[in-house]
Amino acid sequence: MTHRHGFFGRPRVGRSDPGRTPWLGLAGTCTAASAAAAVLLAAAALVSTGPAAAASVAFAAVIVIAFFALSLIAGHLVGRRNPSGAIGVFAVVYVLKIVGFAAILLWIGTPAWIDRPWFGAAGIVSVVVWQAAELYRFSRLRLQIFDDAPAADGPGGDAAPSSGKEGPRA
């Protein structure tokens, strides 16, 4: 017996529709997972250390979520018009994010209210949860890589690939 639907009745495996990109769905799932982990960590920080620690957790989670979501949003915007170009956009946006993120951190500096251990822990937890959710969702996608449409090969329409060793024809 096979199950066609997963949690909340959603299909277990994504479809490969030509006009649809999976990147916004990935961003939503990963954002929800990272935000949930951040809320739990912020609650622990609030109880054990105080409001500055909870704010540090929230700030780190927002930075991580924004950092990773930018690539998926850019992939979605490009993927609607040029699905094969989405991967190239991911690479370019990644480099721009690294440079921009480093520039912003150098420009802003470290705010005085940041609780460094909680900020660092939240950053690591957010990244790990984001990556785990992204890998899980990405493993469930069905992306069409090759054009499966058979090409007409003359009047017979034989589109089977030739091995170069054609035998006698009847």
Side-chain angles (χ1 to χ4, degrees):
M1 176 177 176
T2 61
H3 295 85
R4 293 182 161 267
H5 292 88
F7 198 59
F8 292 120
R10 294 183 188 143
R12 280 190 178 209
V13 178
R15 296 179 307 169
S16 177
D17 292 340
R20 186 175 156 201
T21 66
W23 312 122
L24 282 183
L26 276 168
T29 298
C30 297
T31 298
S34 292
V39 166
L40 294 174
L41 198 58
L46 181 63
V47 169
S48 69
T49 308
S56 297
V57 168
F59 186 55
V62 166
I63 290 172
V64 168
I65 289 169
F67 183 80
F68 284 109
L70 283 174
S71 292
L72 294 175
I73 291 168
H76 169 74
L77 294 174
V78 170
R80 290 185 306 177
R81 292 194 180 110
N82 182 10
S84 62
I87 299 298
V89 168
F90 286 137
V92 170
V93 170
Y94 187 77
V95 170
L96 292 174
K97 286 188 314 186
I98 296 293
V99 171
F101 188 63
I104 288 171
L105 286 179
L106 290 174
W107 179 60
I108 291 176
T110 304
W113 56 268
I114 290 286
D115 186 313
R116 289 176 189 250
W118 282 106
F119 182 81
I124 292 168
V125 167
S126 296
V127 167
V128 169
V129 169
W130 181 284
Q131 293 295 306
E134 192 171 41
L135 284 171
Y136 175 76
R137 272 295 302 272
F138 196 76
S139 72
R140 301 290 184 248
L141 291 178
R142 291 178 50 185
L143 301 173
Q144 183 174 357
I145 297 172
F146 300 104
D147 186 14
D148 294 336
D153 190 28
D158 182 17
S162 174
S163 65
K165 301 177 184 176
E166 300 202 12
R169 295 189 182 246

mmCIF file of all heavy atoms in Angstrom, residues 109-137:
data_model
loop_
_atom_site.group_PDB
_atom_site.id
_atom_site.type_symbol
_atom_site.label_atom_id
_atom_site.label_comp_id
_atom_site.label_asym_id
_atom_site.label_seq_id
_atom_site.Cartn_x
_atom_site.Cartn_y
_atom_site.Cartn_z
ATOM 1 N N GLY A 109 29.134 46.764 13.139
ATOM 2 C CA GLY A 109 29.887 46.358 14.324
ATOM 3 C C GLY A 109 29.013 45.468 15.203
ATOM 4 O O GLY A 109 27.936 45.040 14.819
ATOM 5 N N THR A 110 29.477 45.209 16.383
ATOM 6 C CA THR A 110 28.711 44.380 17.311
ATOM 7 C C THR A 110 27.934 45.279 18.253
ATOM 8 O O THR A 110 28.531 46.056 18.996
ATOM 9 C CB THR A 110 29.657 43.475 18.130
ATOM 10 O OG1 THR A 110 30.447 42.705 17.231
ATOM 11 C CG2 THR A 110 28.879 42.554 19.031
ATOM 12 N N PRO A 111 26.605 45.176 18.214
ATOM 13 C CA PRO A 111 25.815 45.987 19.148
ATOM 14 C C PRO A 111 26.151 45.617 20.594
ATOM 15 O O PRO A 111 26.464 44.468 20.910
ATOM 16 C CB PRO A 111 24.371 45.615 18.819
ATOM 17 C CG PRO A 111 24.414 45.052 17.441
ATOM 18 C CD PRO A 111 25.758 44.414 17.299
ATOM 19 N N ALA A 112 26.074 46.603 21.483
ATOM 20 C CA ALA A 112 26.437 46.397 22.885
ATOM 21 C C ALA A 112 25.497 45.435 23.596
ATOM 22 O O ALA A 112 25.892 44.761 24.545
ATOM 23 C CB ALA A 112 26.452 47.741 23.612
ATOM 24 N N TRP A 113 24.253 45.338 23.142
ATOM 25 C CA TRP A 113 23.266 44.507 23.822
ATOM 26 C C TRP A 113 23.367 43.024 23.460
ATOM 27 O O TRP A 113 22.704 42.194 24.067
ATOM 28 C CB TRP A 113 21.854 45.016 23.533
ATOM 29 C CG TRP A 113 21.530 45.111 22.067
ATOM 30 C CD1 TRP A 113 21.699 46.190 21.272
ATOM 31 C CD2 TRP A 113 20.988 44.069 21.247
ATOM 32 N NE1 TRP A 113 21.307 45.899 19.985
ATOM 33 C CE2 TRP A 113 20.868 44.596 19.953
ATOM 34 C CE3 TRP A 113 20.610 42.751 21.473
ATOM 35 C CZ2 TRP A 113 20.369 43.854 18.885
ATOM 36 C CZ3 TRP A 113 20.109 42.008 20.409
ATOM 37 C CH2 TRP A 113 20.001 42.565 19.136
ATOM 38 N N ILE A 114 24.194 42.664 22.484
ATOM 39 C CA ILE A 114 24.308 41.262 22.031
ATOM 40 C C ILE A 114 24.936 40.410 23.130
ATOM 41 O O ILE A 114 25.976 40.753 23.682
ATOM 42 C CB ILE A 114 25.161 41.166 20.745
ATOM 43 C CG1 ILE A 114 24.428 41.759 19.563
ATOM 44 C CG2 ILE A 114 25.580 39.738 20.447
ATOM 45 C CD1 ILE A 114 23.305 40.916 19.023
ATOM 46 N N ASP A 115 24.305 39.301 23.394
ATOM 47 C CA ASP A 115 24.869 38.281 24.287
ATOM 48 C C ASP A 115 25.576 37.287 23.370
ATOM 49 O O ASP A 115 24.933 36.476 22.703
ATOM 50 C CB ASP A 115 23.753 37.611 25.094
ATOM 51 C CG ASP A 115 24.282 36.656 26.132
ATOM 52 O OD1 ASP A 115 25.155 35.833 25.801
ATOM 53 O OD2 ASP A 115 23.816 36.733 27.282
ATOM 54 N N ARG A 116 26.884 37.370 23.294
ATOM 55 C CA ARG A 116 27.659 36.622 22.290
ATOM 56 C C ARG A 116 27.443 35.107 22.325
ATOM 57 O O ARG A 116 27.263 34.501 21.275
ATOM 58 C CB ARG A 116 29.138 36.956 22.421
ATOM 59 C CG ARG A 116 29.446 38.359 21.968
ATOM 60 C CD ARG A 116 30.915 38.686 22.198
ATOM 61 N NE ARG A 116 31.169 40.081 21.959
ATOM 62 C CZ ARG A 116 31.880 40.530 20.921
ATOM 63 N NH1 ARG A 116 32.417 39.693 20.080
ATOM 64 N NH2 ARG A 116 32.053 41.818 20.773
ATOM 65 N N PRO A 117 27.459 34.443 23.473
ATOM 66 C CA PRO A 117 27.253 32.981 23.454
ATOM 67 C C PRO A 117 25.880 32.589 22.898
ATOM 68 O O PRO A 117 25.778 31.655 22.108
ATOM 69 C CB PRO A 117 27.388 32.573 24.922
ATOM 70 C CG PRO A 117 28.199 33.649 25.557
ATOM 71 C CD PRO A 117 27.849 34.898 24.823
ATOM 72 N N TRP A 118 24.835 33.313 23.294
ATOM 73 C CA TRP A 118 23.498 32.998 22.780
ATOM 74 C C TRP A 118 23.386 33.351 21.301
ATOM 75 O O TRP A 118 22.743 32.637 20.533
ATOM 76 C CB TRP A 118 22.425 33.713 23.595
ATOM 77 C CG TRP A 118 22.156 33.050 24.898
ATOM 78 C CD1 TRP A 118 22.542 33.473 26.136
ATOM 79 C CD2 TRP A 118 21.461 31.811 25.099
ATOM 80 N NE1 TRP A 118 22.125 32.580 27.096
ATOM 81 C CE2 TRP A 118 21.455 31.552 26.478
ATOM 82 C CE3 TRP A 118 20.841 30.910 24.248
ATOM 83 C CZ2 TRP A 118 20.850 30.427 27.031
ATOM 84 C CZ3 TRP A 118 20.240 29.780 24.793
ATOM 85 C CH2 TRP A 118 20.249 29.550 26.166
ATOM 86 N N PHE A 119 23.995 34.446 20.900
ATOM 87 C CA PHE A 119 23.985 34.842 19.492
ATOM 88 C C PHE A 119 24.661 33.775 18.633
ATOM 89 O O PHE A 119 24.144 33.363 17.603
ATOM 90 C CB PHE A 119 24.692 36.190 19.321
ATOM 91 C CG PHE A 119 24.693 36.720 17.920
ATOM 92 C CD1 PHE A 119 23.585 37.368 17.407
ATOM 93 C CD2 PHE A 119 25.809 36.567 17.111
ATOM 94 C CE1 PHE A 119 23.582 37.864 16.109
ATOM 95 C CE2 PHE A 119 25.825 37.054 15.812
ATOM 96 C CZ PHE A 119 24.698 37.705 15.316
ATOM 97 N N GLY A 120 25.833 33.325 19.076
ATOM 98 C CA GLY A 120 26.558 32.285 18.338
ATOM 99 C C GLY A 120 25.803 30.972 18.299
ATOM 100 O O GLY A 120 25.706 30.323 17.247
ATOM 101 N N ALA A 121 25.256 30.572 19.439
ATOM 102 C CA ALA A 121 24.489 29.318 19.486
ATOM 103 C C ALA A 121 23.270 29.388 18.583
ATOM 104 O O ALA A 121 22.962 28.440 17.848
ATOM 105 C CB ALA A 121 24.069 29.017 20.922
ATOM 106 N N ALA A 122 22.580 30.517 18.602
ATOM 107 C CA ALA A 122 21.394 30.672 17.765
ATOM 108 C C ALA A 122 21.762 30.663 16.286
ATOM 109 O O ALA A 122 21.031 30.098 15.460
ATOM 110 C CB ALA A 122 20.667 31.959 18.120
ATOM 111 N N GLY A 123 22.880 31.279 15.949
ATOM 112 C CA GLY A 123 23.326 31.254 14.557
ATOM 113 C C GLY A 123 23.613 29.840 14.087
ATOM 114 O O GLY A 123 23.175 29.430 13.004
ATOM 115 N N ILE A 124 24.301 29.081 14.898
ATOM 116 C CA ILE A 124 24.625 27.694 14.528
ATOM 117 C C ILE A 124 23.362 26.844 14.439
ATOM 118 O O ILE A 124 23.157 26.107 13.464
ATOM 119 C CB ILE A 124 25.632 27.100 15.534
ATOM 120 C CG1 ILE A 124 26.981 27.789 15.390
ATOM 121 C CG2 ILE A 124 25.761 25.594 15.349
ATOM 122 C CD1 ILE A 124 27.965 27.496 16.503
ATOM 123 N N VAL A 125 22.495 26.955 15.439
ATOM 124 C CA VAL A 125 21.256 26.170 15.432
ATOM 125 C C VAL A 125 20.394 26.544 14.226
ATOM 126 O O VAL A 125 19.848 25.665 13.542
ATOM 127 C CB VAL A 125 20.477 26.357 16.756
ATOM 128 C CG1 VAL A 125 19.059 25.825 16.655
ATOM 129 C CG2 VAL A 125 21.220 25.685 17.894
ATOM 130 N N SER A 126 20.278 27.823 13.932
ATOM 131 C CA SER A 126 19.460 28.261 12.795
ATOM 132 C C SER A 126 19.996 27.728 11.473
ATOM 133 O O SER A 126 19.232 27.289 10.617
ATOM 134 C CB SER A 126 19.384 29.791 12.749
ATOM 135 O OG SER A 126 18.731 30.292 13.878
ATOM 136 N N VAL A 127 21.305 27.775 11.307
ATOM 137 C CA VAL A 127 21.909 27.256 10.072
ATOM 138 C C VAL A 127 21.689 25.751 9.947
ATOM 139 O O VAL A 127 21.294 25.249 8.883
ATOM 140 C CB VAL A 127 23.419 27.589 10.011
ATOM 141 C CG1 VAL A 127 24.116 26.801 8.911
ATOM 142 C CG2 VAL A 127 23.626 29.068 9.804
ATOM 143 N N VAL A 128 21.914 25.010 11.014
ATOM 144 C CA VAL A 128 21.765 23.551 10.962
ATOM 145 C C VAL A 128 20.309 23.168 10.689
ATOM 146 O O VAL A 128 20.023 22.297 9.853
ATOM 147 C CB VAL A 128 22.287 22.900 12.266
ATOM 148 C CG1 VAL A 128 21.906 21.440 12.351
ATOM 149 C CG2 VAL A 128 23.796 23.059 12.351
ATOM 150 N N VAL A 129 19.376 23.827 11.360
ATOM 151 C CA VAL A 129 17.958 23.522 11.143
ATOM 152 C C VAL A 129 17.548 23.906 9.723
ATOM 153 O O VAL A 129 16.838 23.155 9.052
ATOM 154 C CB VAL A 129 17.074 24.225 12.199
ATOM 155 C CG1 VAL A 129 15.606 24.155 11.833
ATOM 156 C CG2 VAL A 129 17.309 23.618 13.569
ATOM 157 N N TRP A 130 17.992 25.057 9.246
ATOM 158 C CA TRP A 130 17.667 25.489 7.875
ATOM 159 C C TRP A 130 18.179 24.453 6.876
ATOM 160 O O TRP A 130 17.462 24.029 5.986
ATOM 161 C CB TRP A 130 18.277 26.858 7.589
ATOM 162 C CG TRP A 130 17.958 27.349 6.200
ATOM 163 C CD1 TRP A 130 18.517 26.934 5.026
ATOM 164 C CD2 TRP A 130 16.969 28.306 5.844
ATOM 165 N NE1 TRP A 130 17.946 27.586 3.967
ATOM 166 C CE2 TRP A 130 16.996 28.429 4.442
ATOM 167 C CE3 TRP A 130 16.073 29.081 6.575
ATOM 168 C CZ2 TRP A 130 16.155 29.311 3.758
ATOM 169 C CZ3 TRP A 130 15.252 29.951 5.885
ATOM 170 C CH2 TRP A 130 15.282 30.060 4.498
ATOM 171 N N GLN A 131 19.443 24.067 7.012
ATOM 172 C CA GLN A 131 20.035 23.122 6.064
ATOM 173 C C GLN A 131 19.342 21.761 6.108
ATOM 174 O O GLN A 131 19.120 21.138 5.076
ATOM 175 C CB GLN A 131 21.533 22.960 6.342
ATOM 176 C CG GLN A 131 22.341 24.201 6.054
ATOM 177 C CD GLN A 131 22.336 24.553 4.586
ATOM 178 O OE1 GLN A 131 22.661 23.734 3.735
ATOM 179 N NE2 GLN A 131 21.952 25.776 4.276
ATOM 180 N N ALA A 132 18.996 21.299 7.308
ATOM 181 C CA ALA A 132 18.300 20.014 7.432
ATOM 182 C C ALA A 132 16.932 20.083 6.767
ATOM 183 O O ALA A 132 16.543 19.161 6.022
ATOM 184 C CB ALA A 132 18.164 19.631 8.903
ATOM 185 N N ALA A 133 16.199 21.152 6.998
ATOM 186 C CA ALA A 133 14.879 21.299 6.373
ATOM 187 C C ALA A 133 15.006 21.420 4.859
ATOM 188 O O ALA A 133 14.219 20.839 4.110
ATOM 189 C CB ALA A 133 14.156 22.517 6.950
ATOM 190 N N GLU A 134 16.007 22.157 4.402
ATOM 191 C CA GLU A 134 16.217 22.326 2.969
ATOM 192 C C GLU A 134 16.583 21.002 2.302
ATOM 193 O O GLU A 134 16.058 20.661 1.237
ATOM 194 C CB GLU A 134 17.300 23.373 2.730
ATOM 195 C CG GLU A 134 17.401 23.836 1.303
ATOM 196 C CD GLU A 134 18.325 25.027 1.162
ATOM 197 O OE1 GLU A 134 19.387 25.059 1.813
ATOM 198 O OE2 GLU A 134 17.966 25.930 0.395
ATOM 199 N N LEU A 135 17.467 20.252 2.921
ATOM 200 C CA LEU A 135 17.834 18.947 2.362
ATOM 201 C C LEU A 135 16.641 17.992 2.325
ATOM 202 O O LEU A 135 16.442 17.276 1.346
ATOM 203 C CB LEU A 135 18.973 18.318 3.164
ATOM 204 C CG LEU A 135 20.347 18.891 2.919
ATOM 205 C CD1 LEU A 135 21.349 18.340 3.930
ATOM 206 C CD2 LEU A 135 20.805 18.591 1.510
ATOM 207 N N TYR A 136 15.865 18.002 3.395
ATOM 208 C CA TYR A 136 14.688 17.131 3.435
ATOM 209 C C TYR A 136 13.707 17.499 2.327
ATOM 210 O O TYR A 136 13.273 16.637 1.578
ATOM 211 C CB TYR A 136 14.002 17.226 4.804
ATOM 212 C CG TYR A 136 12.724 16.424 4.843
ATOM 213 C CD1 TYR A 136 12.773 15.035 4.954
ATOM 214 C CD2 TYR A 136 11.490 17.044 4.741
ATOM 215 C CE1 TYR A 136 11.616 14.291 4.965
ATOM 216 C CE2 TYR A 136 10.328 16.306 4.745
ATOM 217 C CZ TYR A 136 10.386 14.935 4.859
ATOM 218 O OH TYR A 136 9.228 14.201 4.841
ATOM 219 N N ARG A 137 13.367 18.783 2.214
ATOM 220 C CA ARG A 137 12.412 19.197 1.181
ATOM 221 C C ARG A 137 12.985 19.007 -0.216
ATOM 222 O O ARG A 137 12.282 18.608 -1.136
ATOM 223 C CB ARG A 137 12.049 20.673 1.361
ATOM 224 C CG ARG A 137 10.914 20.975 2.274
ATOM 225 C CD ARG A 137 9.556 20.443 1.808
ATOM 226 N NE ARG A 137 9.112 20.909 0.520
ATOM 227 C CZ ARG A 137 8.418 22.005 0.297
ATOM 228 N NH1 ARG A 137 8.062 22.761 1.294
ATOM 229 N NH2 ARG A 137 8.077 22.340 -0.925
#
